Amino acid sequence: MAGKLIKDFEALYGGRVLPVDSEPSAIWQCLQGEDNEILRILITASGGPFRTTPLEDIENVTPEQALRHPTWKMGQKITIDSATLMNKAFEVIETHWLFSVPWERIEVVVHPQSTIHSMVEFADGSVKAQLGPPDMRLPIQYALFYPQRLPNSMIPRLDTSISHSLNFDPLEPNRYPCFSLAIEAARKGGTYPAVLSAADEVAVQAFLDGKIGYGGIHHLVEQTLSEHDSLPGETAEEVLQADAWASARAFELASG
């Protein structure tokens, strides 16, 4: 909602924003000890439950189907966002602001196993990756105790005694229209990201409540964004004003 504002606060008052989300944490870990040009940041996405579903069938999937994430166990909102890949767009936005990386150097690649959480490619072509089982306790612990790495027997380990496959597939824009919509809003800046976040929250709840179909999530967010007159987004008041407006407008659209 307010990446620039938070980075401005960070520069003005000191301190450092530490990522807790698994993908930005992976990027952060890959950047430790590096003072080199970043060529690309590759954020991995599982592809969600509809990665291989025929495109003509996706429009009419049910909430129960959308909540069956293949690799992560999460709450309902983030699980639906993982199905639409809206969550991955949010991670692109986080990455842009957290690491001061241009939009064009951030890419998303589909990685169904969710073993590699992100990768960083440097100018010489070397690629560093952070791997581990899909478990949020590791990135949370890393942020809490940074720069120490403390042992924790509760966190599962990568089992190299069994065979593993690591697959990568290009992201299909037609399968995930929310992703492209969100990146467009992020690039516009101002208060568009705040509207994006608020409208998505309302749209996902409307889908879970049976008020709109799965395809309606994208359409509802798109309609809300199209009606927004962006503010500069340079103050918390402007961001919160846009958030409140988008929530109310998206709710009206979902109820209509």
Side-chain angles (χ1 to χ4, degrees), residues 153-216:
S153 61
M154 294 179 63
I155 297 176
R157 304 303 175 100
L158 182 64
D159 187 354
T160 54
S161 66
I162 60 175
S163 178
H164 291 270
S165 295
L166 301 176
N167 301 99
F168 303 103
D169 298 304
L171 189 151
E172 298 178 63
N174 292 341
R175 185 174 297 277
Y176 307 105
C178 281
F179 178 82
S180 300
L181 180 68
I183 297 302
E184 180 184 356
R187 283 175 171 268
K188 285 181 178 179
T191 49
Y192 281 112
V195 170
L196 171 74
S197 174
D200 177 63
E201 190 165 335
V202 172
V204 168
Q205 191 59 54
F207 169 62
L208 291 171
D209 293 341
K211 294 180 179 178
I212 63 173
Y214 182 78

Side-chain angles (χ1 to χ4, degrees), residues 41-198:
I41 288 181
L42 299 161
I43 302 174
T44 55
S46 69
F50 308 127
R51 180 176 59 87
T52 60
T53 301
L55 290 176
E56 61 270 20
D57 296 337
I58 291 179
E59 188 84 7
N60 299 313
V61 297
T62 66
E64 290 74 23
Q65 291 172 309
L67 288 170
R68 295 177 195 146
H69 196 280
T71 53
W72 288 91
K73 293 181 180 180
M74 307 174 289
Q76 290 190 331
K77 167 64 164 59
I78 183 62
T79 302
I80 301 301
D81 280 349
S82 295
T84 65
L85 238 60
M86 182 68 84
N87 76 312
K88 212 50 56 175
F90 290 155
E91 289 166 14
V92 170
I93 298 171
E94 292 170 29
T95 298
H96 170 74
W97 291 112
L98 281 168
F99 307 110
S100 302
V101 177
W103 297 110
E104 60 271 16
R105 294 197 179 193
I106 306 171
E107 299 180 16
V108 171
V109 60
V110 175
H111 169 55
Q113 291 81 17
S114 297
T115 300
I116 297 176
H117 301 297
S118 278
M119 298 175 280
V120 179
E121 181 180 4
F122 297 96
D124 63 356
S126 178
V127 179
K128 290 174 69 174
Q130 191 267 331
L131 288 73
D135 191 302
M136 280 301 301
R137 286 173 290 188
L138 178 57
I140 291 171
Q141 176 173 296
Y142 186 73
L144 287 174
F145 295 101
Y146 174 80
Q148 294 179 287
R149 288 188 181 272
L150 301 182
N152 188 338
S153 61
M154 294 179 63
I155 297 176
R157 304 303 175 100
L158 182 64
D159 187 354
T160 54
S161 66
I162 60 175
S163 178
H164 291 270
S165 295
L166 301 176
N167 301 99
F168 303 103
D169 298 304
L171 189 151
E172 298 178 63
N174 292 341
R175 185 174 297 277
Y176 307 105
C178 281
F179 178 82
S180 300
L181 180 68
I183 297 302
E184 180 184 356
R187 283 175 171 268
K188 285 181 178 179
T191 49
Y192 281 112
V195 170
L196 171 74
S197 174

